[in-house]
Amino acid sequence: MKLLTNMFFLFSVLILSGCAHQISLNPDTEKLQVTENKSASVVGYYISEDDIKKQVKTPGGGGDNVSYKPYKDTEAALYTVLSNKFENVYKLESLTDSTFLKDKRIEYVFIPTITTQSSSDSLFTWPPTEFTFTLNCKTLNNNGDIAWNSEVKGFGKAEFDEFKNDFSLSAKRATEEAFNKLVVELDQSNL
């Protein structure tokens, strides 16, 4: 019986290896810090359509991968952080629509670049136990010059007892930490 159980377990691991399980990176926006220095500026942010659709796969546990859409999953967090700092925030469909930029009196445009890493020390469960989320925000002024640039990194860790009810927990912790660091960086900026 023990041999049969071990063979079934081994078969299950082999069958499930290589799968990409869907997780979400979106942090709870209620947990994002509020800026101390509100700005009267009107800003925009630009995420290309290709980036919004971009699906990323990184390692999980048990030989499996996890799959997610980093830009789509965290767009609400970016909007929340910018809205807490600036008077008004607009999503831009294009960086070259000068009429829209002028009509809305947009002073700065934020362009995020996201990179991620994940891993797990578990051989038996697929959710990542560790997740790293790096956010670079390049900010352009009205002339198209870089007015500000910041890179923040968030690290999330979750063990089985924690993530058994939320398989995305390490990723959400990483994104929450990164966006809270972005709040601090914006507070220290001259924007």
Side-chain angles (χ1 to χ4, degrees):
M1 183 68 178
K2 186 175 180 179
L3 177 63
L4 184 60
T5 303
N6 287 341
M7 288 185 66
F8 176 75
F9 175 73
L10 180 60
F11 177 74
S12 298
V13 168
L14 291 174
I15 291 295
L16 294 175
S17 292
C19 294
H21 301 275
Q22 189 70 35
I23 63 170
S24 176
L25 308 187
N26 55 331
D28 181 354
T29 55
E30 296 292 320
K31 292 182 178 179
L32 296 178
Q33 296 175 17
V34 177
T35 185
E36 294 178 10
N37 304 309
K38 186 83 172 177
S39 169
S41 296
V42 176
V43 302
Y45 69 92
Y46 175 73
I47 304 172
S48 73
E49 192 173 324
D50 287 343
D51 280 342
I52 287 289
K53 294 178 182 176
K54 185 177 191 178
Q55 188 90 15
V56 173
K57 289 182 184 177
T58 55
D64 287 4
N65 290 321
V66 290
S67 179
Y68 45 89
K69 295 183 176 181
Y71 291 91
K72 183 177 181 182
D73 289 352
T74 61
E75 182 179 3
L78 178 64
Y79 179 81
T80 299
V81 168
L82 294 177
S83 294
N84 286 338
K85 171 69 176 175
F86 299 102
E87 187 64 32
N88 215 338
V89 179
Y90 293 96
K91 179 179 181 175
L92 305 179
E93 300 300 324
S94 166
L95 286 173
T96 57
D97 188 352
S98 57
T99 303
F100 183 83
L101 294 169
K102 187 176 179 182
D103 288 349
K104 300 297 184 186
R105 297 187 177 129
I106 295 173
E107 295 176 52
Y108 301 106
V109 176
F110 290 81
I111 305 170
T113 302
I114 296 170
T115 54
T116 56
Q117 295 176 326
S118 65
S119 63
S120 177
D121 51 15
S122 173
L123 296 174
F124 305 110
T125 57
W126 62 262
T129 54
E130 295 183 356
F131 201 95
T132 304
F133 181 88
T134 305
L135 172 65
N136 180 280
C137 259
K138 178 172 69 173
T139 308
L140 306 178
N141 62 19
N142 289 333
N143 299 324
D145 299 323
I146 297 176
W148 186 72
N149 195 23
S150 180
E151 184 171 285
V152 292
K153 186 178 283 191
F155 179 75
K157 189 167 178 59
E159 297 301 327
F160 177 75
D161 287 344
E162 298 174 292
F163 70 61
K164 63 185 176 185
N165 294 320
D166 184 358
F167 299 136
S168 304
L169 187 58
S170 65
K172 290 178 179 179
R173 285 177 171 169
T175 55
E176 181 181 322
E177 181 177 287
F179 280 101
N180 278 328
K181 286 180 178 179
L182 182 62
V183 170
V184 173
E185 292 286 317
L186 284 169
D187 266 346
Q188 295 172 355
S189 76
N190 293 322
L191 299 178

